[in-house]
Amino acid sequence: MTAAGVATAASATSASPAQAGVRPVVRPPALRPGDRVRVVAPAGVPDTRLARGIQILESFGLVVEPGEHLYDKYGYLAGTDEARLADLNAAFRDPGVRGIFAARGGYGTQRIIDGLDLAAVRRDPRVFVGFSDLTVLSGRLWTAARQVSFYGPMVNWTDSRTGPTEIESLRKAVMTTDPIVLTTDPAEPSAAVTVPGEATGTLLGGNLTMLQASLHTPDLPNLRGAILLLEDTDEGPYSYDRMLTHLTRAGALSHLAGVALGQFTNAPVVAGQWTAAQAVQDRLSKLGVPVLGGLRVGHGNGQLTVPLGTKATINTTTKTLTVAPGVKPA
């Protein structure tokens, strides 16, 4: 398929859900200085780095509140399922809370996601930021309410990984209506993956492991006409192969417009075997859609923030991902 053909097909397929569309895309209001925001831990246990993330949010002029159970611990989880769900629902139910920020990823969100108060989500859209394990929450916000969320750093902040550029990326994403443009970083391992072309669609996806784990649940969005964002960490090349093969066999990747690849962090390299990038190239090249790699989204250094649920364009000639703003004017 030619690049022009791909773009035409992408435009046609990405338009169809909206035309058939049960609900319009919902963008939450942009955060403003003075807004109350809540930090919750739906998954793993935050640590002392949380203080730095709260400081950064406060530097935006936001009033930061901890969830009641933010500092709980239950095994490898940030409190019992009941406590973590109570904090999450309390944040979505409080009309004064204009943004919700995940404290940390790890594991555990899928244990509580079915108890999310969807009526509260639909009644009062607000900013939600998280990534990795929080992919399931972003997915549920989309499938249940077509609400845009933000794939960005947790409040458990590490300055050596996410510095001033990344702080500004987060602020811009949730507090301005400027479009977001990411450019391929040739130093990222996923930059080696490319299928030429240009495509436009709704940006959806997130962590590959969690997307595979969401098959046959309400958390996995319908990816027809989408630009699929993928990233992962601590996975071997065969794992990328296995997960992409499973998603393909299940039909989840059948009607994509294109793929945007984030960071492949800590993927082992074994002499004489495929790298993660080579395994992903082998799997994705068979889909017949443009693929752009090397984007600083995910678990690696220099993590940038992007909205999930708005229109995006990948262009392998300019090596850019351009994403429409995820918030509306406050």
Side-chain angles (χ1 to χ4, degrees):
M1 183 179 290
T2 66
V6 169
T8 301
S11 176
T13 55
S14 63
S16 54
Q19 290 165 356
V22 182
R23 294 179 302 271
V25 173
V26 177
R27 294 184 299 152
L31 293 175
R32 298 177 295 180
D35 279 348
R36 289 169 52 208
V37 299
R38 187 79 53 86
V39 178
V40 298
V45 182
D47 56 35
T48 56
R49 293 173 291 175
L50 195 68
R52 174 57 176 149
I54 291 173
Q55 181 185 54
I56 289 167
L57 295 179
E58 289 175 339
S59 77
F60 298 164
L62 302 172
V63 179
V64 182
E65 305 172 347
E68 181 181 353
H69 300 281
L70 180 60
Y71 299 101
D72 287 7
K73 184 175 180 181
Y74 179 71
Y76 42 73
L77 302 167
T80 64
D81 290 352
E82 293 78 13
R84 298 190 334 277
L85 179 60
D87 273 8
L88 188 61
N89 280 334
F92 276 107
R93 290 167 179 162
D94 188 332
V97 171
R98 304 319 308 155
I100 302 171
F101 290 79
R104 194 173 187 181
Y107 170 73
T109 306
Q110 65 176 184
R111 289 173 55 127
I112 64 172
I113 193 64
D114 293 323
L116 180 63
D117 186 343
L118 297 178
V121 168
R122 296 186 184 110
R123 182 169 59 245
D124 188 8
R126 69 202 74 198
V127 165
F128 170 74
V129 181
F131 82 109
S132 191
D133 187 73
L134 281 300
T135 295
V136 298
L137 179 51
S138 288
R140 185 63 67 90
L141 292 177
W142 177 255
T143 61
R146 287 182 68 82
Q147 182 172 314
V148 174
S149 58
F150 296 84
Y151 205 75
M154 309 290 190
V155 184
N156 217 59
W157 196 279
T158 306
D159 279 306
S160 60
R161 190 178 81 82
T162 39
T165 297
E166 292 71 48
I167 292 172
E168 176 58 15
S169 173
L170 174 60
R171 187 200 67 81
K172 180 179 177 181
V174 300
M175 300 188 76
T176 80
T177 55
D178 298 338
I180 295 167
V181 181
L182 274 60
T183 302
T184 293
D185 183 345
E188 289 293 340
S190 69
V193 184
T194 184
V195 177
E198 179 179 353
T200 297
T202 303
L203 187 67
L204 295 169
N207 179 259
L208 177 56
T209 294
M210 298 314 301
L211 290 170
Q212 186 204 24
S214 297
L215 274 170
H216 306 302
T217 75
D219 312 330
L220 183 66
N222 181 344
L223 298 172
R224 187 179 189 90
I227 301 294
L228 175 61
L229 175 67
L230 296 175
E231 64 83 24
D232 219 316
T233 187
D234 298 318
E235 297 290 347
Y238 80 92
S239 295
Y240 285 92
D241 183 326
R242 184 192 66 235
M243 290 186 283
L244 289 170
T245 298
H246 186 192
L247 287 165
T248 301
R249 293 183 65 219
L253 310 185
S254 297
H255 301 287
L256 296 176
V259 181
L261 296 175
Q263 295 166 312
F264 299 166
T265 311
N266 298 335
V269 177
V270 179
Q273 296 186 12
W274 275 350
T275 63
Q278 288 171 318
V280 171
Q281 177 79 40
D282 177 80
R283 295 289 77 198
L284 295 183
S285 63
K286 295 174 172 57
L287 297 180
V289 299
V291 179
L292 177 70
L295 302 170
R296 292 207 331 262
V297 177
H299 289 76
N301 291 334
Q303 179 192 10
L304 302 172
T305 303
V306 293
L308 297 177
T310 61
K311 288 296 181 184
T313 297
I314 55 171
N315 186 315
T316 61
T317 300
T318 60
K319 299 186 182 301
T320 55
L321 167 69
T322 304
V323 192
V327 291
K328 64 183 180 181

